[in-house]
Amino acid sequence: MLESMGSLTGSPWIYAVVALSVLLDVFLPVLPSGVLVITAATAAAAGSTTATAGAVADAAGQVPREVPSLLVLVLCAATASVLGDLVAYRLAWRGGDRLDRAIARSRRLTSAQARLGTAVSRGGGALVVIARFAPAGRSVVSLGAGAAHRRVMEFLPWSALAGVAWAGYSVGLGYFGGQWLGATWVGAAVSVLALFAAGALAAYVMRRPKQQPAPETA
């Protein structure tokens, strides 16, 4: 897998591809944005473990392949994540009665909208961060926040924290997986599985019903 994507991960275009994929997967959750981030970070791990090869290549008159920057990858992925959230939030805000009826027909959207409103009104938005890791959870929460007309300053800081957490986690998985398991399809596959495991856990937390307070006894 890494060999087939070598020309892309060794080009500055990898940042644009990652950013576009992360930006759009709020509307198309099937886009492999997380896999792209992990693959690019694994390529960075491969470059760091062969740093001495660059001196040999220079001596031989060859131009070593560019290595993706971990910091730029995190910034691109996190920024695109927040921008995508805001686009979905604004579209849902302006969706009107048609979108409200669509949300009312979806138990998942209705439940997420109610839980998000409760969490934000109490001064916490951990649900926004957790949802960023769940499959389609980012879409559900961003659309729910907009449809519920939550204030942007109640939603935006948590969206930013979610984007940074998800981007940092994904880049870290790819980089350290490449360092420990080697920059091969095995290391990338284990890192992707770890990302999916975090998504499954986040989906479980989002689906878990709220605990009702215990009745007071006289």
Side-chain angles (χ1 to χ4, degrees):
M1 179 183 69
L2 296 179
E3 290 80 1
S4 62
M5 294 189 63
S7 59
L8 178 60
T9 56
S11 165
W13 283 104
I14 185 61
Y15 304 120
V17 172
V18 165
L20 184 62
S21 177
V22 174
L23 178 66
L24 294 179
D25 76 359
V26 68
F27 304 105
L28 300 170
V30 296
L31 289 177
S33 57
V35 176
L36 281 174
V37 173
I38 285 176
T39 302
T42 304
S48 66
T49 55
T50 58
T52 56
V56 176
D58 289 339
Q62 300 174 355
V63 178
R65 185 170 65 88
E66 293 292 331
V67 176
S69 166
L70 298 180
L71 178 59
V72 177
L73 276 177
V74 171
L75 290 176
C76 284
T79 302
S81 178
V82 176
L83 289 177
D85 289 354
L86 286 178
V87 171
Y89 166 86
R90 284 300 184 185
L91 289 176
W93 182 290
R94 300 174 180 177
D97 295 338
R98 185 176 181 180
L99 180 61
D100 291 340
R101 289 193 297 268
I103 290 178
R105 289 194 296 268
S106 171
R107 178 190 297 180
R108 188 179 183 186
L109 282 171
T110 302
S111 175
Q113 181 175 323
R115 292 184 65 188
L116 177 66
T118 301
V120 172
S121 65
R122 291 177 178 174
L127 179 63
V128 179
V129 180
I130 294 172
R132 185 61 186 86
F133 291 82
R138 173 191 179 200
S139 307
V140 169
V141 169
S142 298
L143 292 172
H149 287 190
R150 305 305 309 179
R151 291 187 303 169
V152 68
M153 292 312 300
E154 291 179 337
F155 174 70
L156 180 58
W158 292 104
S159 172
L161 178 60
V164 171
W166 177 84
Y169 179 73
S170 301
V171 169
L173 282 179
Y175 181 77
F176 289 111
Q179 287 279 324
W180 297 334
L181 301 175
T184 64
W185 68 269
V186 175
V190 171
S191 299
V192 170
L193 286 176
L195 183 65
F196 287 167
L201 178 60
Y204 169 77
V205 173
M206 289 186 67
R207 288 196 301 265
R208 188 178 58 183
K210 294 181 294 185
Q211 294 183 351
Q212 299 295 331
E216 296 182 359
T217 56

